[in-house]
């Protein structure tokens, strides 16, 4: 006799991380190639001396720093083990078995996984081209819907919805349905029409905005993110579904150091370098004949389709990159996502893309 496990596990989709191949350039996981700032590394080293102690389970100092940064009460904030952990906690807090979680597809791969773990039904709404179809997503909301994810900018396509479209959407969603604005790539947005979700909270108390220190801040390996809501009941519910001591003290210290004024200025400089490289790589790819949507994240997206229309075969393209020492993230049914790295690594990718187009 074997241990009885939940039947849901048999059909649970697996999260597929970006591969790391020794000797190859990894452009598969949207990591920041620059890493943490020097003073942040110093704080990490100092904090490591106390790993025999449990961390502050409430992340009190970091919560206070974030409250000061956004000019809000700390009761409207929650810190988690990366924003993906907060996504899972929010589903656990809102959805029971048979309830629905709505999101665009393709979007962040974790959404259907965490919905299934909670016993909820994942409702996937096809993108309009490469961008969220917010009208269709609003129409997909039923009396069983408990939560809607809007990944903006969207992972893996890099596209973002405009503020006007988002406001129309939020006006249509019932006020008892939680809308999660997953803004993991917010720092890389340059399009002025894309709204900062935190500015919408007072108008829409059923919204929570998620951010992370993994991408722009270069702390992916430490797993730390946060959420901001207008309604403290939402953040309290997230805290209730959190594993005790989920956020390490090292992660808290690193995030706190990353929020210092001097660090924020250095961060802005690094982000500007990434977005400039994003524009350069996008232009190079388009000149080579690839169809590449405008990205507001730290990666670009190449779409499946006929070569004469600028498309690719995702599996073949990824294999061709791997042969040239470049690891990209292929989604066999839809396209390839490529992280924007430093200029030298970006040049190698552009060169490979030209060769694969020849």
């Amino acid at each position: 006799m074997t241990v009885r496990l939940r039947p849901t596990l048999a059909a649970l989709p697996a999260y597929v991380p970006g591969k790391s191949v020794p000797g190859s350039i990894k452009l598969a996981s949207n990591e920041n190639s620059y890493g943490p700032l020097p003073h942040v590394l110093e704080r990490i080293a100092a904090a490591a001396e106390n790993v025999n102690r449990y961390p502050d389970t409430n992340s009190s100092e970091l919560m206070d720093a974030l409250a000061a940064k956004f000019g809000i009460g700390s009761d409207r904030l929650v810190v988690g083990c990366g924003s993906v952990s907060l996504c899972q906690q929010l589903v656990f807090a809102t959805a029971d078995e048979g309830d629905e979680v709505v999101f665009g597809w393709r979007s962040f791969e974790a959404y259907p996984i965490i919905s299934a773990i909670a016993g909820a039904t994942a409702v996937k709404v096809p993108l309009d081209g490469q961008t969220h179809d917010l009208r269709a997503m609003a129409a997909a909301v039923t009396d069983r819907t408990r939560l809607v994810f809007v990944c903006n900018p969207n992972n893996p396509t890099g596209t973002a919805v405009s503020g006007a479209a988002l406001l129309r959407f939020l006006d249509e969603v019932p006020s008892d349905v939680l809308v999660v604005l997953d803004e993991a790539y917010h720092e890389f947005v340059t399009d002025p029409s894309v709204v900062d979700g935190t500015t919408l909270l007072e108008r829409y108390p059923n919204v929570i905005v998620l951010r992370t220190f993994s991408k722009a801040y270069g702390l992916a390996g430490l797993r730390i993110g946060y959420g901001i809501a207008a309604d403290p009941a939402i953040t309290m519910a997230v805290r209730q579904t959190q594993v005790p001591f989920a956020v390490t003290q090292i992660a808290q210290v690193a995030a706190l150091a990353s929020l210092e004024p001097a660090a924020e200025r250095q961060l802005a400089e690094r982000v500007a370098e990434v977005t400039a490289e994003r524009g350069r790589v996008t232009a190079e790819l388009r000149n080579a004949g690839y169809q590449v949507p405008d990205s507001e994240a730290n990666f670009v997206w190449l779409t499946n389709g006929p070569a004469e229309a600028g498309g690719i075969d995702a599996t073949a393209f990824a294999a061709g990159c791997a042969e040239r020492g470049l690891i990209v993230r292929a989604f066999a049914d839809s396209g390839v996502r490529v992280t924007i790295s430093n200029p030298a690594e970006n040049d190698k990718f552009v060169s490979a893309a030209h060769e694969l187009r020849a």
Side-chain angles (χ1 to χ4, degrees), residues 48-310:
E49 296 178 2
N50 297 310
V51 293
N52 58 310
R53 304 295 183 185
Y54 285 110
D56 173 8
T57 196
N58 296 315
S59 303
S60 304
E61 284 189 81
L62 179 57
M63 290 270 282
D64 289 344
L66 288 168
K69 174 181 172 69
F70 289 98
I72 58 176
S74 58
D75 61 339
R76 293 176 51 188
L77 283 155
V78 63
V79 173
C81 185
S83 57
V84 64
S85 177
L86 295 173
C87 288
Q88 183 173 42
Q89 291 167 242
L90 285 161
V91 173
F92 287 168
T94 56
D96 284 320
E97 188 168 348
D99 290 335
E100 294 176 345
V101 176
V102 175
F103 48 86
W105 196 252
R106 177 173 290 276
S107 192
F108 185 31
E109 284 182 280
Y111 297 155
I113 298 172
I114 61 182
S115 299
I117 292 172
T121 300
V123 179
K124 299 179 179 180
V125 180
L127 301 181
D128 181 6
Q130 305 303 322
T131 307
H132 285 306
D133 187 341
L134 292 182
R135 292 187 184 279
M137 289 176 66
V141 173
T142 71
D143 59 1
R144 293 172 57 196
T145 304
R146 298 293 176 266
L147 182 149
V148 181
F149 284 113
V150 180
C151 189
N152 198 43
N154 186 42
N155 176 14
T157 63
T159 56
V161 296
S162 69
L166 186 58
L167 289 173
R168 287 195 299 270
F169 169 76
L170 293 174
D171 284 337
E172 293 181 38
V173 175
S175 60
D176 62 349
V177 173
L178 180 64
V179 178
V180 181
L181 298 183
D182 188 348
E183 296 186 345
Y185 301 94
H186 169 76
E187 289 84 1
F188 301 104
V189 172
T190 56
D191 182 351
S193 75
V194 179
V195 70
D196 177 340
T198 63
T199 65
L200 305 178
L201 295 174
E202 300 301 333
R203 178 171 172 179
Y204 301 100
N206 61 323
V207 170
I208 184 169
V209 176
L210 303 185
R211 300 276 175 86
T212 183
F213 288 94
S214 295
K215 308 303 181 182
Y217 290 90
L219 300 181
L222 291 181
R223 313 307 306 126
I224 184 162
Y226 60 96
I228 309 173
D231 185 354
I234 296 173
T235 50
M236 175 58 73
V238 179
R239 282 190 283 274
Q240 287 179 293
T241 55
Q242 186 170 43
V243 174
F245 309 114
V247 183
T248 69
Q249 197 65 32
I250 292 176
Q252 294 177 42
V253 166
L256 196 59
S258 298
L259 292 175
E260 293 175 1
E264 293 274 38
R265 290 192 292 272
Q266 289 176 287
L267 175 76
E269 293 171 1
R270 287 187 172 187
V271 167
E273 291 177 18
V274 172
T275 56
E277 279 294 289
R278 180 182 71 197
R280 182 177 74 86
V281 170
T282 298
E284 291 273 9
L285 291 172
R286 288 174 176 170
N287 288 338
Y290 291 97
Q291 181 183 4
V292 183
D294 291 334
S295 174
E296 295 297 325
N298 68 332
F299 55 85
V300 293
W301 174 252
L302 287 77
T303 309
N304 270 9
E308 59 270 20

